[in-house]
Each structure stands twice: as structure tokens, then as C-alpha cells.
């Protein structure tokens, strides 16, 4: 496999509803903004193909929407493929784009994602998403993702003593970060009290612990070393790729042993039954793969910034553990100590994450990738219009994309060459 | 004199949410002939007041939510009757839901664990207040008198301790 670089990113401002623009126009906006970032050096003629990500055909009520995007942005008759993997759709798209360059098939590829969730009311949107859980066994009892994640964190609270305040602190952190991100949907300077007093949606998850439905698009352009040198002054290398999966029904997951990262010992988890429903085994497996490829032995020491999939404040806390930022059971303490804040040892979700940026599913993983790319390029001040969220001297970072209850997870490492 | 061909005028108008950008109501509905296929015995079981799981004769692994093939060895599993009493492994009370279930909120979802069975079963817990629900509490299966032929034919209530 040959080296692959990110050379440009583009995002639309995520919004609750963007009725004036359809998905094609939103993607074109993100695509044009990525091309503009290269100062006009790269034109669509030099792009060899695309990977297009969107989650649900129900929102668009249009099959083959990917073909319409390819057509609208002017990439026909070049090849393209659609990727779908629930909430991890964007992360899977990015990794598929990486593969198309790493394999030598393409020199330059466009990874383009979108979702237009404002087409239906929020309860119907939750229903569309709930159809990504088992429709014979889980959905018919009233199962939906807020409920599933609530049950997962209730078990985490039981196993490890995690508290509602601890995951509420993550909601506070991410919303306050987003106040400085012009692309974010919910720019709210929330306090711990605001989060704790917001209404229960699925106990113990409250309104501000849960991300919002969104309309948006994001694009990343990836290139071989030769093409990156030709088109971009400040490319960022993709140094690690990892992915994992888990049982579709979380009730089916084993109660076995923790797959260990290099800095963990078997004795750390003598009595822990894993993953059960308290942890995301796919996230752990994805991290192991990406760390091995990038040569990371201790993620807290070896990484400078992380953008991870916080559809729920609780799942960010659980993901700290899957990624090995702390041991299983110590996610609550990790946020209590402020380790993942902008001023902490390892800033997590400086963008505001899904909680505040919004989660237009197919765009989300690519939004994270574009944001991390800018962090490592140190061009956040240029793109956000202020330097508040630029992590100083960021050299190596991680993006994490996650599908419902942890059925698919991708972990990707980017670094400044 | 022959008249020009024309489409008939509409009798009822279209619901318009916004004029610019023009946003109209469109409707989509479909009836499926949905077969439970290889899982049919589970749903027959519910109608007879039985909860069926599956077990792998080779691995001795027991699945509370049935799978007709073992996820470890890939071999075929056999049906077996689960105990009707288990314990709450995890739970939540939903105050919001997917549109189809909005009219039922608040409702309680539980993952039930059964002694000697390796995986869990997702269901409703009925008749217990939020403050009284505890992980580890005993719950027993109840079955609807009139089958709906869905997984909703079983639900759980608090069992005497």
C-alpha cells in the first residue's frame, strides 16, 4: 500500500433545516469550497473518481442519490460508489477513499457525504434511524437509539459507578467549544445546570446529552504522494486505518474478555465481563488496528487531538475507554479531571462534536475528517475565523466514526508529515 | 367540433408548508408480506405462551434471542424453552420515541438476563415506576392473550422476590 494524503476539506454550515438547498447543491457547496482551498490548482478534471456517503434512502426518498451527486458536481462519466454503514457511514467513506488511492487505483479521489434529515418531523426521523436496528426483535417493542444508548450507559453506571453529571460535563465541554465553530448547528454556552435540568428523553439521557438532526454536507479530497505534492502546499498524511464491527442486536454481544491495547494488562480487568452492553467492542478493535498501523503505543501520549463520534455525551465517555485514553471504568474520572477539554492533556471534540455541530449522518465522519485536517494543517483560524479552537502544535490526531450501538466503528490516524 | 384533449382538473389541492422554497406534503406508505422465515418457531412459541431461545449443541452456547446458526462455530442451533423468569440486566424509561410508538410514552425497555443463558433479550417492563426499577430485580414473562404475531406478544412484569 502506498502513502495517502488529505489535500483539502469543505463543509456546509450544519443546520436543523436547509430547505433552500437539496443534497446535491449542499455537496457542491462543500466540494467547491474544498477546491477553492487549493487555490484553483486542482480542477474536477483531475479527480479520478468518488466515494459518496449517505445513510438513509428514506430521508431523500430518492434511490441512487449518489448518482445524482456525481452528476451534479460534474464528475460523470468517472466511477463512483455509494457507502452506507449507519452512523459510521462518513468514516467508512473516508477509509474507502483512502483504499482507492493506497491501492494505486486512483491518484485523486473525492469523498463526499450528506444527509437531509429535515424532510420529516423529528419523531419520524428517529423512526427511520430506528429501522437500522433489528426490525423483527428490537424496533417493534419501541426500540430506538436514544433508548438503546440509555440502556448501555445505565449498565456502565452499574459496572463502574459513572454518574449523570460526568456525561453531562461532556455535553457542556462540546457545546462550549462549538461557540467558536461557525459551521456548528447548536452554538450554546451551556452550563452543567442547563444540561442536568434539560428534559429526560430516555432516562438517564437528557435533551442536551443527545445530538440533533441536521441538514449538511462535507467533502474531503485525498491524493497520492505525487498528486499531493502537485496540488497542495500543506498535505496531511493518513498514517493509520482501523475498523471493527459488533453484533447487530446489542443483546447478543458476549460477556467475555477485553482485547488489550499495548499499554494495558490482563490484570486490569480481572472481573470485567466484556463488552456486554456497557462498552463498544468494535471501537476497541478499530483502535487496535489503527494504532498498530500508525505505531501508537500509548494514545494519550502519542496523540494531540481527537474528533470522535459523540451522538450521545455518554458514548463519548464510553469511547474514551475503547480508545484506551484511560482504562475501562475510568471514563468518568477522565472528564472530571478535564483531560479532554481544550486546556486538557488531549483535547477531544474541539469542533463541538456531533452534540453541538449536528449529525447529518453521511456528512458527519467527513466533517470530523475535514476539521482534524485543518487542526493538523494549523489552518483552523483561517477556516473558523478565530483561533480559539486551534490546538497548539497539533501534529497527530484521531478521527472516530461509529454506527448505532457500536455495530460499525472506524478509527483513522492523521499526521503532519 | 372536436375539443382539444385535456387533463381533468384536480378536486383537492396539495398541502403546502411553505411557498418559498416551495415545500409540499408528499405521502409514502407500503404494506409488506413479511415472513419471519427461519425464525417462525419463535413467534409460534409466543402465541403458545412460550419464550424460545436457541442453543448450540457443539459450543454449548445459549442465545436468549434466537439465532438459527451459532455465531461462534457456524453450526445449526436447536430451539429450547427459556425460563419465564429472569433478571433486569439494564433498563431505561423512554419519554420520547419513534413516531410509531410516540402514543405509548412513557414506557420502559429492559434487557433481561436468564440464569445459565449467555445472551440477553430486549422487551418491555410493565407496571413498575422508574424509582423502583433496579438492575438485578426479578422479572417474569407475560404473554398477550390475543397474539399480534410480533415480538410484542411477550412483555415482563415484576416477579415476587
Amino acid at each position: 500500500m502506498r502513502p495517502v494524503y488529505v489535500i483539502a476539506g469543505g463543509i456546509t454550515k450544519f443546520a436543523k433545516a436547509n430547505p433552500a438547498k437539496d443534497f446535491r447543491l449542499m455537496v457542491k457547496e462543500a466540494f467547491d469550497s474544498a477546491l477553492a482551498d487549493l487555490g484553483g490548482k486542482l480542477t474536477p478534471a483531475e479527480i479520478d473518481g468518488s466515494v459518496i456517503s449517505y445513510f438513509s434512502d428514506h430521508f431523500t426518498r430518492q434511490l441512487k442519490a449518489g448518482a445524482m451527486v456525481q452528476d451534479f458536481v460534474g464528475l460523470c462519466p468517472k466511477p463512483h460508489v455509494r457507502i452506507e454503514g449507519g452512523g459510521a457511514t462518513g468514516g467508512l467513506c473516508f477509509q474507502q477513499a483512502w483504499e482507492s488511492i493506497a491501492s494505486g487505483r486512483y491518484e485523486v479521489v473525492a469523498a463526499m457525504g450528506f444527509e437531509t434529515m429535515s424532510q420529516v418531523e423529528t419523531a419520524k426521523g428517529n423512526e427511520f434511524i430506528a429501522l437500522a436496528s433489528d426490525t423483527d426483535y428490537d424496533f417493534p417493542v419501541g426500540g430506538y437509539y436514544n433508548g438503546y444508548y440509555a440502556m448501555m450507559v445505565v449498565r456502565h453506571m452499574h459496572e463502574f459507578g459513572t454518574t449523570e453529571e460526568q456525561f453531562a460535563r461532556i455535553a457542556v465541554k462540546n457545546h462550549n467549544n462549538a461557540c467558536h465553530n461557525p459551521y456548528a448547528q447548536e452554538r450554546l454556552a451551556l452550563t452543567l445546570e442547563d444540561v442536568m435540568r434539560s428534559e429526560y428523553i430516555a432516562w438517564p439521557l437528557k435533551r442536551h446529552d443527545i445530538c440533533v438532526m441536521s441538514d449538511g454536507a462535507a467533502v474531503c479530497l485525498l491524493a497520492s504522494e505525487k498528486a499531493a505534492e502537485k496540488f497542495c502546499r500543506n498535505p496531511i498524511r493518513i498514517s493509520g486505518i482501523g475498523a471493527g464491527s459488533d453484533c447487530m442486536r446489542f443483546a447478543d454481544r458476549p460477556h467475555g474478555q477485553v482485547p488489550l491495547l499495548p499499554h494495558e494488562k490482563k490484570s486490569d480487568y480481572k472481573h470485567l465481563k466484556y463488552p456486554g452492553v456497557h462498552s463498544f467492542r468494535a471501537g476497541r478493535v478499530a483502535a487496535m488496528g489503527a494504532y498498530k498501523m500508525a505505531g501508537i503505543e500509548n494514545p494519550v501520549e502519542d496523540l494531540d487531538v481527537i474528533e470522535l463520534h459523540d451522538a450521545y455525551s455518554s458514548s463519548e465517555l464510553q469511547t474514551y475507554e475503547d480508545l484506551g485514553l484511560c482504562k475501562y471504568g475510568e471514563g468518568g474520572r477522565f472528564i472530571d479531571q478535564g483531560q479532554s477539554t481544550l486546556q486538557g492533556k488531549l483535547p477531544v471534540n474541539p469542533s463541538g462534536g456531533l452534540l453541538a455541530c449536528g449529525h447529518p449522518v453521511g456528512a458527519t465522519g467527513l466533517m470530523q475528517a475535514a476539521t482534524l485536517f485543518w487542526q493538523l494543517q494549523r489552518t483552523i483560524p483561517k477556516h473558523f475565523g478565530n483561533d480559539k479552537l486551534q490546538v497548539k502544535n497539533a501534529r497527530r490526531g484521531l478521527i472516530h466514526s461509529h454506527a448505532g450501538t457500536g455495530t460499525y466503528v472506524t478509527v483513522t490516524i492523521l499526521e503532519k508529515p | 367540433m372536436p375539443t382539444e384533449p385535456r387533463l381533468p382538473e384536480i378536486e383537492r389541492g396539495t398541502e403546502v408548508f411553505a411557498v418559498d422554497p416551495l415545500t409540499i406534503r408528499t405521502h409514502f406508505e407500503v404494506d409488506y408480506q413479511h415472513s419471519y422465515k427461519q425464525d417462525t418457531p419463535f413467534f409460534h412459541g409466543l402465541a403458545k405462551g412460550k419464550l424460545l431461545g436457541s442453543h448450540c449443541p457443539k459450543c454449548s452456547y445459549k442465545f436468549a434471542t434466537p439465532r438459527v446458526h451459532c455465531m461462534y462455530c457456524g453450526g445449526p442451533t436447536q430451539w429450547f424453552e427459556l425460563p419465564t423468569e429472569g433478571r433486569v440486566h439494564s433498563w431505561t424509561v423512554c419519554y420520547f420515541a419513534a413516531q410509531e410508538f410516540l402514543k405509548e410514552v412513557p414506557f420502559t425497555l429492559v434487557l433481561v438476563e436468564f440464569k445459565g443463558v449467555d445472551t440477553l433479550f430486549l422487551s418491555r417492563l410493565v407496571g413498575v415506576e422508574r424509582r423502583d426499577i433496579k438492575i438485578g430485580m426479578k422479572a417474569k414473562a407475560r404473554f398477550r392473550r390475543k397474539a399480534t404475531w410480533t415480538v410484542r406478544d411477550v412483555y415482563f412484569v415484576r416477579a415476587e422476590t
Side-chain angles (χ1 to χ4, degrees), chain A residues 312-394:
Chain A
Y312 300 89
S313 59
S314 54
S315 61
E316 175 167 324
L317 189 153
Q318 289 159 308
T319 298
Y320 293 158
E321 302 169 358
D322 302 325
L323 297 180
L325 310 186
C326 56
K327 291 198 179 105
Y328 277 106
E330 293 178 357
R333 199 191 308 165
F334 193 74
I335 181 65
D336 283 346
Q337 293 169 342
Q339 306 255 40
S340 53
T341 62
L342 272 179
Q343 297 74 31
K345 192 165 169 56
L346 177 51
V348 175
N349 287 332
S351 68
L354 284 56
L355 283 174
C357 291
H359 182 18
V361 187
T364 302
L366 296 171
M367 174 276 283
Q368 296 172 310
T371 307
L372 182 67
F373 166 67
W374 294 334
Q375 284 285 4
L376 301 175
Q377 272 195 325
R378 322 235 171 104
T379 56
I380 287 285
K382 175 186 158 197
H383 291 281
F384 286 4
N386 71 78
D387 65 357
K388 293 267 180 13
L389 301 176
Q390 177 65 57
V391 175
K392 306 279 176 289
N393 305 317

Side-chain angles (χ1 to χ4, degrees), chain B residues 23 62 91 111:
Chain B
T23 309
K62 290 192 172 74
W91 62 278
L111 284 164

Side-chain angles (χ1 to χ4, degrees), chain A residues 24 30 118 183 235 249 288-290 322 345 373 413:
Chain A
R24 295 170 295 185
S118 70
Y183 293 101
R249 292 187 297 242
M288 290 173 84
D322 302 325
K345 192 165 169 56
F373 166 67
I413 311 292

Side-chain angles (χ1 to χ4, degrees), chain A residues 141-206:
Chain A
V141 298
Y144 78 130
Y145 284 95
N146 297 338
Y148 303 145
Y149 281 89
M151 283 183 272
M152 295 184 91
V153 76
V154 164
R155 191 67 200 185
H156 197 278
M157 293 161 83
H158 175 80
E159 295 283 345
F160 306 118
T162 306
T163 66
E164 285 180 65
E165 284 79 3
Q166 287 176 324
F167 47 87
R169 256 175 220 125
I170 289 171
V172 172
K173 165 179 76 73
N174 294 359
H175 278 96
N176 281 274
N177 287 351
C179 290
H180 309 289
N181 176 357
Y183 293 101
Q185 179 168 330
E186 276 201 349
R187 300 166 70 186
L188 304 171
L190 295 178
T191 64
L192 186 63
E193 201 184 2
D194 293 332
V195 179
M196 291 298 290
R197 280 195 175 176
S198 60
E199 73 270 27
Y200 282 118
I201 304 294
W203 191 91
L205 296 175
K206 293 168 276 294

Side-chain angles (χ1 to χ4, degrees), chain A residues 8 20 29 57 83 86 95 115-116 132-133 165 175 240 254 295 332 347 353 364:
Chain A
E29 224 175 64
D57 297 312
I83 290 282
Q95 294 198 343
E115 212 75 44
T116 47
S133 60
E165 284 79 3
H175 278 96
T364 302

Side-chain angles (χ1 to χ4, degrees), chain B residues 108 110 124-129 155-158:
Chain B
T108 302
V110 281
R124 289 272 184 104
L125 179 70
V126 176
V128 190
E129 292 290 315
Y155 56 96
F156 283 78
V157 298
R158 186 208 296 260

Side-chain angles (χ1 to χ4, degrees), chain B residues 34-91:
Chain B
H34 179 66
S35 165
Y36 288 119
K37 300 187 168 74
Q38 68 274 11
D39 281 359
T40 293
F42 171 80
F43 296 92
H44 284 169
L46 294 184
K48 293 176 196 153
K50 288 179 185 169
L51 201 48
L52 296 185
S54 64
H55 74 96
C56 175
K58 204 167 136 199
C59 303
S60 310
Y61 205 82
K62 290 192 172 74
F63 299 97
T65 315
R67 306 170 63 109
V68 299
H69 282 270
C70 175
M71 72 176 169
Y72 294 101
C73 73
T77 58
Q78 293 170 356
W79 295 96
F80 78 104
E81 197 174 335
L82 287 162
T84 52
E85 196 171 296
R87 288 180 187 273
V88 172
H89 182 83
S90 196
W91 62 278

